[in-house]
Amino acid sequence: IGIGFDLPIFTGNRQDRRLSASSARLEAERTDRVLRIRSLQAKARAALARIERLDDRIDLYQQTLLPQMEEQASAALTAYNNDDGDFAEAVRARISELNAQVELIQMMAERAKTLASFRYLTTDASNISSSSMTHYQD
């Protein structure tokens, strides 16, 4: 009478391979997570830089360009009313002023979209003061 069974004598090699494969998968997942976090951080920094550039441009339009264009359009209209200017020039000045206002509105919309993207990426709006968030909502 004989009984046969397998003895697990050399199972260490097989377990080592499983352990190293599991360790490699874990390290790959960690690396992938770090890369995703860095990508999100880079996108958030880019969005914040875009917001700052748009803030500068919006300030320029509101503080300098639009008032100058309004004065120029008023001067052209006054000159036309006094028979000193050309009607086409008065119309061109007013159209330029309106185009600048449209550009300002587009910049404000772009800023709002970029701010929403930044908030989505960070889920924390503490990096932007509440006054700068509401500064251009008018």
Side-chain angles (χ1 to χ4, degrees):
I1 296 181
I3 298 176
F5 59 92
D6 293 333
L7 293 174
I9 298 177
F10 300 108
T11 59
N13 187 17
R14 187 174 30 185
Q15 288 176 351
D16 287 344
R17 282 185 274 148
R18 285 183 192 158
L19 180 63
S20 70
S22 176
S23 177
R25 276 194 305 274
L26 180 63
E27 189 60 35
E29 288 174 9
R30 284 182 185 157
T31 302
D32 186 46
R33 182 174 182 265
V34 167
L35 289 174
R36 282 184 281 156
I37 289 171
R38 286 184 183 167
S39 173
L40 290 173
Q41 288 172 338
K43 288 178 183 178
R45 282 192 302 271
L48 189 58
R50 176 100 174 115
I51 289 169
E52 290 170 356
R53 283 193 316 272
L54 285 168
D55 283 345
D56 292 342
R57 289 185 64 201
I58 289 170
D59 279 340
L60 176 68
Y61 268 70
Q62 287 180 332
Q63 303 300 323
T64 306
L65 293 177
L66 284 177
Q68 287 177 356
M69 294 180 107
E70 184 180 349
E71 288 176 16
Q72 184 179 8
S74 294
L77 186 59
T78 302
Y80 171 72
N81 287 336
N82 294 333
D83 291 331
D84 222 11
D86 186 28
F87 177 74
E89 184 61 35
V91 170
R92 274 193 291 274
R94 189 61 69 187
I95 289 172
S96 295
E97 180 187 5
L98 293 173
N99 285 337
Q101 288 175 354
V102 168
E103 288 178 29
L104 176 64
I105 291 168
Q106 288 173 339
M107 284 187 288
M108 293 170 89
E110 180 66 27
R111 183 190 186 280
K113 288 189 324 190
T114 306
L115 182 61
S117 173
F118 174 77
R119 287 180 178 168
Y120 174 77
L121 291 169
T122 60
T123 64
D124 181 16
S126 64
N127 293 335
I128 299 177
S129 67
S130 61
S131 64
S132 75
M133 283 185 223
T134 60
H135 184 68
Y136 299 112
Q137 291 181 353
D138 297 326

